[in-house]
Amino acid sequence: MSVEGTRFGRYVLQQLLGEGGMGQVYRAFDTGTDRVVAVKVLHAHIAADPVFRERFRREAKTAAALGDPHVVPIFDYGQIEGHLFMCMQFLDGEGVDALLARSGPMAVTDAVSVLTQAAAALQAAHAAGLVHRDVKPSNLFITANGFVYLIDFGIARAAGETGLTSIGSTIGTFAYMAPERFTTGIADARADVYALACVAFELLTGRPPFPAAGVEQHIAAHLTQPPPRPSLLRPEVGTGFDAVIARGLAKDPDQRYQTAGELAAACLASASAAPRLVATQVNPGPRLADPQPVHSVELARAAPIPVPPSPSSSYRVVLPALGIAAVTVLAIGYWVLKDTSPHSQPLTASPTLIAVPAGGVLGIAVDPGTHTAYITKGDNTVSVIDTTTHAVTATIPVGKNPMGVAVDPDTHTAYVTSYSDNTVSVIDTTTRAVTATIPVGKNPMGVAMDPGTHNAYVTNYGDGDNTVSVIDTTTHAVTATIPVGKDPEGVAVDPGTHTAYTTNNSDATVSVIDTATRAVTATIPVGKDPEGVAVDPGTHTAYLTYHNDATVSVIDTTTRAVTATIRAGVFPMGVAVDPGTHTAYVTNDDDTVSVIDTATRAVTATIPVGKHPHGVAVDPGTHTVYVTNTDNTVSVIPRA
């Protein structure tokens, strides 16, 4: 239905409040009770599905019977003119998402108050056998006096049912969906606990825990990325919440808090130990009382947060867009927190920004001989950039969910790992055509070249593969499979010593591979969750990024020992080395690149780039640096 001001049964539709893949929500006047209500009207094709229709009625009846005051009251439901509908109380206020967008992250006491009230609603739903399946800030509605409602039970499902309707649509919001939603498709109450932990992280930091450029990156992040630490983004919240979020976002449901009440109780306990914070909201309303202890089953009612009415206060439900789940590439962070340490010296001139067709940019590599750069994208393509004109000159279809990319400058060939179809695409950088597709291990991610031996090295990350595939770049055949550490991610080659290095994300090690014998000759213990790696062949050092502790490790590749730890920006990800200028570049999720002097091992500059940078590559001929940003741009940093 799209016409406003018309009759819909006994309701007169007055204003469209929101719409999505399932239908629309209207402000309406109920002529039967003479009151203003909110009416959610689902699309006719959804009502035509008998399985969905019956489930909707059953779950709407259960949701309407929930007695918790933090569940938005449902007055009526059924079918009118071929449309399923639900009539709810019209609320005056706004979604918590709008509050965060306007005022930024909350003070700890305010965040815990919102979380506790939402947890109370979930406890009631779970006790009745309902799983909400779409817990997120926009489905937490906060009134002018700070009372929180959990809304939008229209897609709730009985515990244990799968996540797909009979019409084949995935229901929920990818940024908050538990890993099991993408694997087994079955979710119980613990999937809502996971989503509530995502919300807790966002209330404290202002960003979701695993934001990304697209659906595929969201999914892979929930499946593979370790839980981020809120204290890295906002040190003033204290470190106690780090452990709470880590448990709430455990990949295995058995390792999480088993109820929403347990999560809320843990947050209350952490709040009592956290430093007293100044509210980050713009309104100067009165502060909350100190949080009171809460039990795992019966939640104490937290004091409401005083929130002034927004100029556009109304009942808003953002209906979820529907999509098909698919496992794909790693997620990229989303929060902006500028480095204020003494080494932070932003350059006065901003880098050039190159717009790339939308699709979620990720990895990047440069072919200096053809003056081109190659960017992997979440839409299963590679964009080609002319590094002289800064124009996108070609779009090349490759495998499913491309991730890593490396260039052999001698043969002018690019190699692209396709995470979801277990292949490597070979691109002729002269003709810009895919000339071969090579099957490798499971979920390939990183790729690096050893031009001297004409081999490419590919890390196979997923499903317990834990190997590196060696590709002969002359024959395009896999000539060896090397077992390495757990969940290998990044890979780099020192061509002078014919040695390859892989970061093993889940066992905190680096595997050292002799590329002549194709054997692991050493395993180096490093920090937790290593990700990116790059080698300086001139000094025989390797640089490792740790996404979750804001540092870079330096490894002496001769002694195979960690010799230095360098503080970078927030959530460092990609790393590249320019041997000619003795410089390393690290992309940080705070929209910056850290510049490291590889001689002194000090950060000499912090360069602002695009939103949430991911990959980084250096043109060794011009010493120009190229950075991929998740706002579909590439930042070009000229030689200083």
Side-chain angles (χ1 to χ4, degrees):
M1 298 184 65
S2 59
V3 179
E4 300 173 17
T6 60
R7 290 294 294 251
F8 178 64
R10 76 186 198 196
Y11 305 102
V12 178
L13 306 182
Q14 297 177 334
Q15 179 187 0
L16 178 65
L17 300 176
E19 60 183 321
M22 293 182 68
Q24 300 88 20
V25 176
Y26 294 89
R27 173 189 169 118
F29 182 74
D30 184 349
T31 61
T33 60
D34 290 332
R35 62 182 171 185
V36 175
V37 294
V39 175
K40 182 178 189 176
V41 183
L42 276 63
H43 293 308
H45 74 274
I46 295 177
D49 175 17
V51 175
F52 187 94
R53 185 170 61 245
E54 178 56 31
R55 197 199 81 225
F56 175 86
R57 287 172 174 160
R58 184 179 71 247
E59 307 309 341
K61 180 179 179 180
T62 304
L66 295 178
D68 191 271
H70 293 288
V71 176
V72 62
I74 297 174
F75 300 139
D76 192 16
Y77 56 88
Q79 187 168 342
I80 296 175
E81 300 171 4
H83 294 268
L84 293 173
F85 80 97
M86 184 181 294
C87 174
M88 298 163 283
Q89 179 178 330
F90 183 85
L91 302 177
D92 185 18
E94 64 180 334
V96 168
D97 61 326
L99 178 61
L100 290 172
R102 188 178 74 253
S103 304
M106 294 181 176
V108 166
T109 51
D110 292 356
V112 172
S113 176
V114 170
L115 187 81
T116 302
Q117 295 180 70
L122 283 175
Q123 289 281 101
H126 295 161
L130 278 182
V131 179
H132 188 282
R133 299 196 305 145
D134 201 24
V135 177
K136 58 184 177 180
S138 62
N139 278 340
L140 297 179
F141 196 89
I142 189 165
T143 66
N145 66 355
F147 197 85
V148 175
Y149 289 93
L150 178 62
I151 63 175
D152 207 359
F153 274 89
I155 65 168
R157 190 181 284 271
E161 293 186 14
T162 63
L164 296 179
T165 71
S166 63
I167 54 177
S169 297
T170 300
I171 298 179
T173 303
F174 289 101
Y176 307 92
M177 290 172 71
E180 60 267 27
R181 297 284 305 277
F182 308 118
T183 53
T184 65
I186 298 176
D188 57 20
R190 296 171 297 179
D192 283 347
V193 173
Y194 182 96
L196 190 62
C198 291
V199 171
F201 184 91
E202 188 164 356
L203 297 177
L204 292 169
T205 67
R207 53 147 275 190
F210 302 117
V215 170
E216 294 86 357
Q217 294 92 325
H218 272 134
I219 296 170
H222 288 298
L223 291 171
T224 63
Q225 286 289 291
R229 292 157 49 191
S231 67
L232 282 180
L233 297 176
R234 283 183 76 203
E236 64 268 29
V237 305
T239 58
F241 282 99
D242 293 348
V244 174
I245 297 300
R247 184 174 174 187
L249 297 183
K251 310 298 183 191
D252 182 354
D254 291 338
Q255 301 302 314
R256 286 179 211 144
Y257 299 105
Q258 297 300 288
T259 69
E262 291 178 6
L263 172 61
C267 286
L268 280 167
S270 296
S272 65
R276 194 66 172 172
L277 300 181
V278 177
T280 57
Q281 294 170 333
V282 295
N283 58 293
R287 299 295 305 137
L288 296 177
D290 288 333
Q292 298 300 311
V294 65
H295 300 289
S296 62
V297 178
E298 290 191 14
L299 290 175
R301 304 296 176 191
I305 303 171
V307 179
S310 168
S312 59
S313 292
S314 63
Y315 184 96
R316 292 195 313 110
V317 177
V318 180
L319 291 169
L322 305 184
I324 301 299
V327 178
T328 141
V329 297
L330 288 180
I332 301 137
Y334 201 75
W335 173 248
V336 180
L337 181 66
K338 297 303 180 185
D339 186 1
T340 56
S341 58
H343 67 246
S344 178
Q345 302 172 5
L347 301 186
T348 54
S350 297
T352 301
L353 281 179
I354 303 173
V356 178
V361 296
L362 293 166
I364 185 167
V366 174
D367 184 349
T370 60
H371 304 292
T372 49
Y374 297 82
I375 298 148
T376 58
K377 297 172 60 187
D379 61 357
N380 305 331
T381 65
V382 169
S383 289
V384 183
I385 292 178
D386 184 317
T387 59
T388 303
T389 64
H390 294 170
V392 176
T393 56
T395 299
I396 306 171
V398 289
K400 189 174 182 181
N401 302 320
M403 181 64 174
V405 57
V407 168
D408 184 339
D410 294 337
T411 62
H412 302 300
T413 310
Y415 295 81
V416 176
T417 59
S418 297
Y419 183 88
S420 291
D421 63 9
N422 304 328
T423 63
V424 170
S425 298
V426 183
I427 298 174
D428 184 319
T429 63
T430 304
T431 64
R432 298 172 183 176
V434 173
T435 57
T437 301
I438 307 170
V440 289
K442 295 178 180 178
N443 304 132
M445 290 187 64
V447 57
M449 301 298 307
D450 184 353
T453 61
H454 302 291
N455 286 319
Y457 296 82
V458 176
T459 57
N460 302 307
Y461 182 92
D463 295 332
D465 194 314
N466 303 331
T467 63
V468 169
S469 296
V470 183
I471 298 174
D472 184 318
T473 60
T474 304
T475 64
H476 295 164
V478 173
T479 56
T481 301
I482 306 170
V484 290
K486 189 175 180 181
D487 294 332
E489 187 169 338
V491 59
V493 171
D494 184 341
T497 61
H498 301 296
T499 310
Y501 300 85
T502 70
T503 56
N504 306 313
N505 188 264
S506 294
D507 63 10
T509 64
V510 168
S511 295
V512 182
I513 300 172
D514 184 318
T515 61
T517 64
R518 298 174 180 179
V520 173
T521 57
T523 299
I524 306 172
V526 293
K528 187 178 179 181
D529 304 322
E531 296 205 18
V533 59
V535 169
D536 184 343
T539 61
H540 301 297
T541 51
Y543 294 81
L544 277 65
T545 60
Y546 300 94
H547 184 68
N548 222 17
D549 72 357
T551 61
V552 175
S553 285
V554 182
I555 294 179
D556 184 318
T557 60
T558 303
T559 64
R560 295 171 181 175
V562 175
T563 57
T565 300
I566 304 168
R567 184 77 180 176
V570 173
F571 292 156
M573 177 79 71
V575 57
V577 171
D578 184 356
T581 61
H582 305 292
T583 309
Y585 299 88
V586 175
T587 59
N588 305 307
D589 194 44
D590 56 10
D591 305 344
T592 66
V593 167
S594 296
V595 182
I596 299 173
D597 185 317
T598 59
T600 64
R601 296 174 183 176
V603 173
T604 58
T606 301
I607 304 174
V609 288
K611 290 289 185 182
H612 322 303
H614 182 75
V616 57
V618 179
D619 185 331
T622 63
H623 305 291
T624 302
V625 181
Y626 298 86
V627 177
T628 58
N629 309 303
T630 59
D631 57 2
N632 295 311
T633 63
V634 173
S635 296
V636 182
I637 305 172
R639 181 180 180 183

